[in-house]
Each structure stands twice: as C-alpha cells, then as structure tokens.
Amino acid sequence: MLIKTSRREWLRSAAYGVGGFAVSGMMPGGGWFGVPDANAAATFVDPLAPKQPHFPAKVKSVIWVHLDGAPSTIDLYDYKPELERLAGQDIPASFLEGIKTSTQGGVGKLFASKRSWKQYGQSGAWFSDLLPNLAQQADKLTFVKSSVTVGATHDISILKLNTGDLSPGRPSLGAWVAYALGSANPDLPPYVVLYGGQREPRAGSVNWSSGFLPAVYQGTAFRPGAQPILHQAPPELIGLQQQRESLDLLHQLNDIRSASRPQDSELAARTNSYDLAYRMEATAPEAVDLSKETEATKALYGLDDEATRDMGTVLLRARRLVERNVRFVHVVSGPIAGLGQGDDANWDAHRQLERNHGAHARAIDKPVAGLLADLQARGLLDDTLIVWTSEFGRTPYGQSGDGRDHNPWGYTQWLAGGGLKHGITYGRTDDLGLKTVENPVDTYDLHATVLQLLGLDHLKTIYLRAGRAERPTVVYGKVVNDILA
C-alpha cells in the first residue's frame, strides 16, 4: 500500500526521524547523527547541514531524467543496420541464448521502424530523425550502450532504477545523496522531484522515498503550478509577519522546555523543521517561477509550443533548482494527452511505436537539448550531471505487429556534464540490439558512478541499521571509470 505524505506530516516525521549512525571516519564529516544523550538537545546537529564529501567532487548537482515507460533506444541512438536487413524474419536462435524471453507477448518477427539515421558532431554519434535537436548536442553526451537490469515489469524495474532494489523499503539514490552531503541551500530541500503531466508518476513516492534513512532525506515532490508543495501556502488571513512572530514565540517556548530536558533532541529538530517550512513558503514558489525568464530562454526549452511546453517547463525548473544549489533533481517524464490511457500514454510502446515514440520524442527532444545548451551558456554544465535513463529498453523483435516488448538485457542510457569524457560510447549490444555483449553496466554501477562524481565513495557511504552497515549499492556496484575524465 502506498502512503501519500502531506507536507505537515513530512515535517513531523522529519522532526522525529533524526536518528541513525554514520560510521565514524567512513561517512562524510564522520561522527553520528543522533541517538539522544544528556547533551543532545544542546548539541543538536541539523541533519541537512552541509557535509564534506570523501574527495573533491566533480559536480555539485544531479538532474536525473527518468523516461517513464521505457523508450526503444534502438530507435533513438543505437543504430542497428543488421536489424533493418533482417526485418520481417525470425530472430536467429543464437541471439536468444542465455535469456528468457517470455516477458509478455512472446517473440515476434524482427521489426524495423521507419527511421532515417545520421551521424553528428566530431564524435560521429548516430541519431535517428526522432531526436534532431538532441543530435546537435552529440559531443556533450557520454553514451552507455551496454545497460542491463533485473526484471521486466515496470514497477519492479523502476524501483530498481531509483533505489537499487526490487522491493520497496530501500532509500532512493537522491535520498542517499541528501543524507551524505546535506543541503547546499538552507531555504530549499536538497532533493526535489519534478514530473510532467498533472498526476504523480507511476508508484509515486516509493521511488523517491528515504526508505530506512530518516524521513528528512526523502524527495520533496514539486507539483505543477504556482504552489509547488501541498499545504505550503500560509493559513488564510495570517500574514507573514504574524506567522514569523508566532514561530519566534514557539521557538522561545521550546528553548525553555529544552533547558529542563537536555536529553530531548526532538524539540530542536522540530523547531528546525518549522523554520525550514517558513523559509520555503517564499523560496520554493520563486525557485520554480518562470515569469522572470527571458522569452528567448522559454523558447529554447519549447515553452512556446504546446507539444514541448510540459517537459520544457519541467526541465527549465530543473535548471533553476540546480542554479539554486539543490543537490538532486529527480525528473519523471509525463503522459502525452491524446495517446490513450495507461501504457499508451507513456513510452511503453507495445503497439503503434511510430505514433507513440513520435509524440514522446517530440515532447522532450527540444527541451532536453535546450537544457544542455542553457547549462553550458550559464557556466553550469561543468558543475551539473545530467543522467538520461529508463527502467529498461525494448526488443528488436515486434509485438502486436507494430510495437516492441520490454528488454532488460541490453539498452542505452547517456550522461552529460562535469567529470565525464564527452562524445564517447561505452559498451555495446549485439547486432540486433537485444543483448549486451561488452562491458555490462547495471543500475548499481550507474549509482556508484553518480556518487563518485559527487565526491562520494559508494563503499564508504554507510548507514548503520540494526547492526548492519547499509550502502546505496548494497553489496554490488562498481564505478564505470572508463567514462570519467
């Protein structure tokens, strides 16, 4: 059962959730965060206070772009001439060795979509005609064309993508980042979630949960519209000054109470949460307010076109957040109106791939290319990591005649920004784009690499729970050093 948490409940749980150990000398900053002792209230440490990384970071912020539904990367930028040559035939048995293909619809004939392909930039990266704008940014991209995962159902694989596990309960990558580094802006959460469309994405908050970490580290979902956080607006007929005076009085009363109960750190934590909430009433709406952006910038992201306005708004808000030192911005692509209900509305093209991918690619191609160009123009690209990812890829064989099935065995993701070798390709799939045949990169490896760029050793980012030293990559994961500059 999914539990939706209001802002007030979030703040309350944050106040009571300040706890757990960080192994001294292994977590950034060392020490531990909180089992109360006789001096705990007097020495209360803000759990969102900035913490030092293990080593100098290459980037300050991450924009994690999840393409919900799983696009077919062999129709975007993993060009397979052999697939076009063999289209309409059965897939040779040799390509199916070692994998189980009974995901949903069985194995159909090989299917080539109606794409035209070209090489771009000095890197000579291949792009289909679905991504003409992103293709112009080819030399900024670092392709990982050997991605693999576990599971072939959306909910399971999305959970693994974001938390590293197949079952709910573990912290998301963004929560680990918030825990390990704290906040770089005291007026905004360190971990923010943005999504396209008007409804929360599939499975919702379980994918940006803090899991067993204190609740203060979970992602804060910013909704579309002028008021990004539920229950954030001040109570009716109460002005900011009156509210500030009330909080000051509450602060004084809490201080008096704390003086007589030095072992109780909850009051200090709660006061800190109230102050953050008060500051966010002004800063959060301003952070996502696009009214002060120039018309040229809005056009760069496609806000002047109905087809691109939704994702353009989301990605422009993401830029504004990293500009304000938010550590981790988790973006989820939204449904496309008019494509139907459920799977038909996202990238999950089991049928009518041409119609589905045509609409989704058009919705995000210009906005994401605009994001890369805008970050570079503002001097932010070297300090920001952009990760374009999904729960899995899609098969080269067809389904329902004109769609593709789920493919966890080999697909493409890309990264851009600081600390990377740009314009390179790491790993590859077979000649049909079904299975990784060189340098497989699992979700754990991607997480370890993201943490590395933030200055965090994934083996030393530890939270002690019930005597067990928990890590973001569990007991797996290796940094993909070959793509790092």
Side-chain angles (χ1 to χ4, degrees), residues 150-392:
V150 175
T153 63
H154 292 285
D155 288 345
I156 289 176
S157 295
I158 289 173
L159 198 61
K160 185 174 188 296
L161 172 67
N162 293 314
T163 73
D165 205 355
L166 304 180
S167 301
R170 288 195 64 83
S172 61
L173 180 61
W176 279 109
V177 171
Y179 164 68
L181 295 177
S183 177
N185 182 339
D187 297 334
L188 287 171
Y191 178 16
V192 172
V193 181
L194 302 173
Y195 53 88
Q198 297 301 310
R199 299 182 62 184
E200 193 174 81
R202 183 198 326 245
S205 60
V206 69
N207 287 295
W208 51 86
S209 168
S210 59
F212 49 70
L213 295 175
V216 71
Y217 300 116
Q218 73 181 21
T220 301
F222 277 24
R223 295 153 51 88
Q227 288 294 335
I229 303 176
L230 281 173
H231 313 298
Q232 181 192 36
E236 216 174 315
L237 304 178
I238 296 180
L240 285 177
Q241 182 59 33
Q242 184 180 359
Q243 190 177 14
R244 181 66 264 174
E245 291 172 354
S246 297
L247 286 174
D248 289 342
L249 175 60
L250 184 61
H251 200 302
Q252 293 173 24
L253 294 173
N254 284 343
D255 285 346
I256 295 171
R257 179 76 167 178
S258 296
S260 63
R261 296 174 177 269
Q263 77 284 356
D264 186 359
S265 65
E266 292 176 357
L267 283 174
R270 183 177 298 180
T271 298
N272 183 75
S273 296
Y274 289 159
D275 287 341
L276 172 60
Y278 174 80
R279 295 193 302 272
M280 283 174 57
E281 285 181 2
T283 56
E286 186 278 333
V288 296
D289 180 9
L290 308 185
S291 63
K292 295 183 180 178
E293 297 287 341
T294 67
E295 293 305 313
T297 298
K298 294 176 185 178
L300 180 66
Y301 285 81
L303 269 63
D304 55 351
D305 184 338
E306 184 177 356
T308 53
R309 185 176 299 122
D310 187 33
M311 287 311 301
T313 297
V314 169
L315 291 176
L316 181 49
R317 284 180 162 181
R319 188 224 79 202
R320 290 178 63 86
L321 288 169
V322 299
E323 199 171 30
R324 287 156 176 77
N325 296 317
V326 171
R327 300 273 194 199
F328 200 97
V329 182
H330 184 153
V331 172
V332 187
S333 65
I336 301 291
L339 281 184
Q341 300 295 319
D343 292 344
D344 288 335
N346 61 26
W347 287 89
D348 196 22
H350 291 280
R351 57 180 182 172
Q352 295 186 313
L353 182 136
E354 296 285 349
R355 177 171 176 263
N356 176 285
H357 277 36
H360 281 284
R362 186 166 58 253
I364 199 169
D365 173 45
K366 186 174 183 178
V368 75
L371 172 68
L372 294 170
D374 195 21
L375 288 171
Q376 183 178 50
R378 294 171 185 271
L380 295 171
L381 189 58
D382 289 342
D383 292 330
T384 307
L385 175 67
I386 301 93
V387 183
W388 167 290
T389 182
S390 192
E391 56 265 37
F392 38 66

Side-chain angles (χ1 to χ4, degrees), residues 8-93:
R8 290 182 176 86
E9 290 167 333
W10 178 83
L11 290 170
R12 186 183 303 114
S13 61
Y16 284 97
V18 182
F21 291 89
V23 177
S24 181
M26 301 185 77
M27 266 306 297
W32 55 274
F33 282 147
V35 176
D37 58 26
N39 299 311
T43 60
F44 170 74
V45 176
D46 178 1
L48 295 179
K51 306 177 188 71
Q52 291 300 311
H54 295 116
F55 40 79
K58 298 289 187 178
V59 297
K60 297 178 181 177
S61 300
V62 175
I63 300 176
W64 179 268
V65 183
H66 170 212
L67 305 182
D68 181 35
S72 171
T73 57
I74 54 176
D75 292 295
L76 299 178
Y77 28 57
D78 191 14
Y79 181 38
K80 299 296 180 184
E82 188 71 358
L83 177 59
E84 295 183 352
R85 189 180 74 82
L86 297 178
Q89 302 181 30
D90 290 327
I91 184 170

Side-chain angles (χ1 to χ4, degrees), residues 368-428:
V368 75
L371 172 68
L372 294 170
D374 195 21
L375 288 171
Q376 183 178 50
R378 294 171 185 271
L380 295 171
L381 189 58
D382 289 342
D383 292 330
T384 307
L385 175 67
I386 301 93
V387 183
W388 167 290
T389 182
S390 192
E391 56 265 37
F392 38 66
R394 308 203 81 83
T395 60
Y397 51 80
Q399 186 183 15
S400 304
D402 55 1
R404 301 193 188 280
D405 205 351
H406 302 167
N407 178 3
W409 311 292
Y411 58 103
T412 299
Q413 303 174 93
W414 59 255
L415 303 89
L420 298 167
K421 295 175 183 176
H422 302 130
I424 68 162
T425 293
Y426 180 81
R428 66 183 178 91

